[in-house]
Amino acid sequence: MRNRGLKLGAMLLLASASLCGQNKVTLRPSIDTVTISKHIYGHFAEHLGRCIYDGFYVGEANDSIAHTEGIRNDVVQALKKLQIPNLRWPGGCFADTYHWKDGIGPKAERPAIVNSWWGGVTEDNSFGTHDFLNMCELLETEPYLAGNVGSGEVQELADWVQYVNFNGESPMSDLRVKNGRKEAWTVRYWGVGNEAWGCGGNMTADYYADIYKKYATFMSAWGNKEGLYRIASGANSADYNWTETLMKKIPHSLMKGVALHHYAVIDWNAKGPSTKFSEEQYFKTMKSGWFMNELIDKHSAIMDKYDPEGRIDLIVDEWGGWYEVEPGTNPGFLYQQNTMRDAMLAGMTLNIFNNHAKRVKMANLAQAVNVLQSVILTRGNQIILTPTYHVMEMYKVHQDARQIPLDISTDSFTFAGDSIPALSASASKDEMGKIHVSLVNIDPTNNKKISIGLGGIKASNVEGRILKSQNLRDYNTFEKPETIVPALYKEAKLRDGTIEVDIPAFSVIVLELT
Ligand code: AHR
């Protein structure tokens, strides 16, 4: 009897703890930490569906859409507002079929090829190296070129580096000048193949490590003081052996980054719809997204073993939600809508990256426009900014800011007996001394009271912005493009070194403390 009473008492205590806010974030500003590389906020543009053609590039002759040398002005303007730090191109799987010399010189003379990975459509090569690198200048972003290892040749990739990066006299730089570009672009980031375990050549990790060494050796830095930042094609999600093999076999002098790809997908054979998803599908997407936390911990632990000084970076150069395509669209084009579920996924994943900023130095959301979890969708001369766009825009305050480590205790989001954390958070201090805390509540029905302990940070004011909506399945349409936009958030209460927040179900808040 007495025991039963005790248990009941304990249960009541737990219940009341949850009612008056067991959700707690504690900032640890006294711990010396790292800068959150702005490159974590990178993007990806592949020759896939309507990402390049229609999305970024509408052609020099287009007279219905405002453009600069064929590049949409509206897309450039929107991406500049995000301060996108880098853009990866031309793939993805397409990269290992791409022969860069097809995409230079007079456009009328460029060969048309078949885009065999994505819809079997004609690729006329009207968007090539000059178009991409000049576009990066317009966007004020750093290019990240993915080289063809799968179906290319060592000499071909070595030539591409020379064409793009060498200012002296050489066959490739002379060709570049002949094609209208005098000064080299000096591209730092180079991927040595893509998904070598799959569409990049179905290689084993051992075989790829050997091939990598050969390609990387002949990719000269052409006198560039900083050298080339070569990135090895990384693991498919939880393939830890891949990372281990690369770290063990490839001389670290030849490699600056090891990649990792992970998509939040329910089931590769039943991905579910992008808008009319069930609560079960929502849970499973979030669970797959949250798995990124474990993936980074485990891949980092392997990297720590071979590189305790942290010289090699983990580059998550493909991430995002992957659902069924929108009904009536080409299945090979991967065009999907973007709801509040995607905002949850983006906010949670960026919190994971911010909190792992010591090893994760770059990440690329797949993909920027009209493909998978896009920040922008286009239709004719219209564009819409997706909920994911707004999260990226709210989180840009963390770019190159000093990470503030934190502890978090949170309720769970439970479905059918399975659970993941309902809340995630990350924090940083920018150059001006402003502190930003981003909070995500992925619970689809319950708001959460959170108490944020500032760990001695002195602040006299807190305000912020919130992204929320009536319905988890809401999205922006071309008819109603502003259904979901950030709003000012003034409800946080600052008292005695603690902030109290009541965060609505499925919402993202970014607070600014001054
Ligand atoms: O982003 C779409 C595809 O997903 C990429 O081409 C490939 O690298 C990955 O499998």
Side-chain angles (χ1 to χ4, degrees):
M1 228 16 221
R2 199 165 150 252
N3 251 346
R4 193 165 164 255
L6 271 177
K7 268 195 201 147
L8 211 90
M11 271 161 67
L12 281 176
L13 254 176
L14 272 177
S16 67
S18 122
L19 282 179
C20 62
Q22 76 185 46
N23 298 301
K24 202 165 162 37
V25 172
T26 309
L27 304 190
R28 304 276 181 217
S30 55
I31 299 177
D32 188 30
T33 172
V34 292
T35 294
I36 297 174
S37 168
K38 65 178 179 180
H39 289 290
I40 281 176
Y41 291 81
H43 290 264
F44 174 30
E46 180 166 10
H47 286 238
L48 194 179
R50 298 191 304 112
C51 182
I52 295 295
Y53 301 108
D54 240 22
F56 279 98
Y57 178 75
V58 287
E60 290 81 345
N62 191 300
D63 54 12
S64 59
I65 299 172
H67 64 86
T68 305
E69 290 173 8
I71 309 295
R72 294 183 74 121
N73 292 346
D74 47 7
V75 168
V76 170
Q77 199 189 343
L79 291 179
K80 277 180 84 167
K81 193 169 173 215
L82 286 189
Q83 292 167 8
I84 69 162
N86 68 71
L87 188 60
R88 178 174 182 247
W89 177 84
C93 296
F94 181 78
D96 281 295
T97 63
Y98 185 61
H99 301 284
W100 67 272
K101 284 182 186 158
D102 290 348
I104 56 168
K107 295 201 173 185
E109 291 168 25
R110 297 184 190 174
I113 59 161
V114 179
N115 189 332
S116 50
W117 281 113
W118 306 117
V121 293
T122 301
E123 161 64 64
D124 68 2
N125 279 303
S126 55
F127 187 90
T129 299
H130 290 248
D131 307 273
F132 175 71
L133 294 176
N134 293 344
M135 181 174 90
C136 286
E137 290 179 344
L138 267 184
L139 289 166
E140 291 170 21
T141 196
E142 265 200 79
Y144 166 12
L145 294 176
N148 180 347
V149 167
S151 71
E153 301 291 338
V154 175
Q155 186 63 52
E156 185 182 354
L157 184 47
D159 280 352
W160 202 16
V161 182
Q162 191 187 74
Y163 186 89
V164 163
N165 279 2
F166 189 48
N167 268 316
E169 206 179 308
S170 76
M172 290 302 115
S173 42
D174 291 353
L175 185 58
R176 183 192 70 237
V177 174
K178 189 173 148 234
N179 285 331
R181 173 77 186 202
K182 189 158 183 294
E183 205 183 320
W185 289 279
T186 317
V187 174
R188 190 160 56 122
Y189 294 114
W190 289 86
V192 184
N194 170 73
E195 297 196 348
W197 42 264
C199 65
N202 283 305
M203 305 178 205
T204 63
D206 275 297
Y207 182 72
Y208 172 69
D210 285 340
I211 294 271
Y212 177 96
K213 287 187 269 188
K214 192 157 79 154
Y215 275 80
T217 303
F218 294 98
M219 293 167 73
S220 163
W222 294 111
N224 174 10
K225 276 195 282 358
E226 282 192 59
L228 287 192
Y229 191 112
R230 300 180 190 83
I231 300 169
S233 163
N236 178 17
S237 224
D239 182 354
Y240 301 112
N241 174 57
W242 189 275
T243 301
E244 179 114 31
T245 307
L246 265 42
M247 291 300 292
K248 194 166 25 178
K249 286 193 73 173
I250 298 174
H252 293 183
S253 57
L254 281 182
M255 171 172 80
K256 189 68 186 84
V258 170
L260 165 68
H261 287 182
H262 174 67
Y263 285 94
V265 68
I266 294 167
D267 176 340
W268 285 107
N269 298 314
K271 296 193 270 301
S274 64
T275 56
K276 295 192 176 90
F277 51 88
S278 64
E279 187 169 340
E280 180 182 7
Q281 289 169 325
Y282 174 64
F283 178 83
K284 287 185 170 167
T285 305
M286 288 301 122
K287 188 170 177 192
S288 178
W290 177 244
F291 186 50
M292 183 70 86
N293 198 54
E294 178 178 327
L295 283 176
I296 294 178
D297 280 342
K298 292 191 172 163
H299 285 287
S300 302
I302 295 165
M303 295 175 77
D304 289 348
K305 201 161 80 178
Y306 295 95
D307 173 36
E309 304 84 27
R311 221 198 59 82
I312 309 224
D313 303 330
L314 184 59
I315 309 290
V316 190
D317 56 12
E318 286 187 32
W319 69 273
W322 192 322
Y323 319 116
E324 284 158 10
V325 299
E326 280 302 281
T329 64
N330 187 329
F333 280 14
L334 310 186
Y335 177 77
Q336 63 190 41
Q337 248 300 352
N338 196 293
T339 65
M340 283 303 288
R341 169 172 63 171
D342 297 276
M344 297 301 99
L345 186 59
M348 181 178 78
T349 309
L350 293 170
N351 281 340
I352 295 171
F353 293 155
N354 287 346
N355 290 330
H356 289 86
K358 195 166 169 212
R359 191 59 91 166
V360 179
K361 297 291 181 192
M362 187 195 279
N364 303 76
L365 176 62
Q367 300 192 3
V369 189
N370 292 333
V371 171
L372 299 176
Q373 194 179 342
S374 304
V375 288
I376 298 174
L377 301 176
T378 70
R379 185 176 75 183
N381 62 6
Q382 289 177 280
I383 66 168
I384 49 178
L385 308 178
T386 65
T388 302
Y389 177 96
H390 294 303
V391 173
M392 282 276 186
E393 195 275 318
M394 289 164 74
Y395 272 58
K396 72 183 178 193
V397 291
H398 292 300
Q399 291 190 19
D400 279 346
R402 201 79 187 152
Q403 182 206 56
I404 301 177
L406 54 80
D407 297 328
I408 182 165
S409 65
T410 162
D411 290 344
S412 297
F413 165 28
T414 302
F415 185 88
D418 200 0
S419 294
I420 50 174
L423 297 169
S424 67
S426 65
S428 67
K429 182 178 183 175
D430 72 12
E431 264 181 6
M432 315 289 287
K434 285 183 190 158
I435 311 279
H436 295 101
V437 183
S438 32
L439 303 163
V440 183
N441 177 13
I442 63 168
D443 190 302
T445 37
N446 302 302
N447 64 336
K448 303 281 171 196
K449 287 193 193 314
I450 315 175
S451 138
I452 307 170
L454 299 183
I457 290 171
K458 299 273 173 271
S460 53
N461 189 47
V462 57
E463 52 189 27
R465 290 200 297 157
I466 183 166
L467 194 73
K468 62 177 182 171
S469 194
Q470 295 285 313
N471 194 305
L472 181 62
R473 293 158 189 84
D474 283 348
Y475 52 96
N476 291 334
T477 64
F478 290 96
E479 291 70 36
K480 288 190 176 164
E482 304 213 327
T483 306
I484 303 164
V485 286
L488 283 181
Y489 179 77
K490 293 188 179 244
E491 286 148 51
K493 306 221 168 20
L494 174 62
R495 210 177 296 119
D496 302 331
T498 303
I499 296 174
E500 304 292 338
V501 177
D502 191 353
I503 182 168
F506 61 93
S507 68
V508 178
I509 293 177
V510 177
L511 297 173
E512 181 169 289
L513 280 67
T514 45

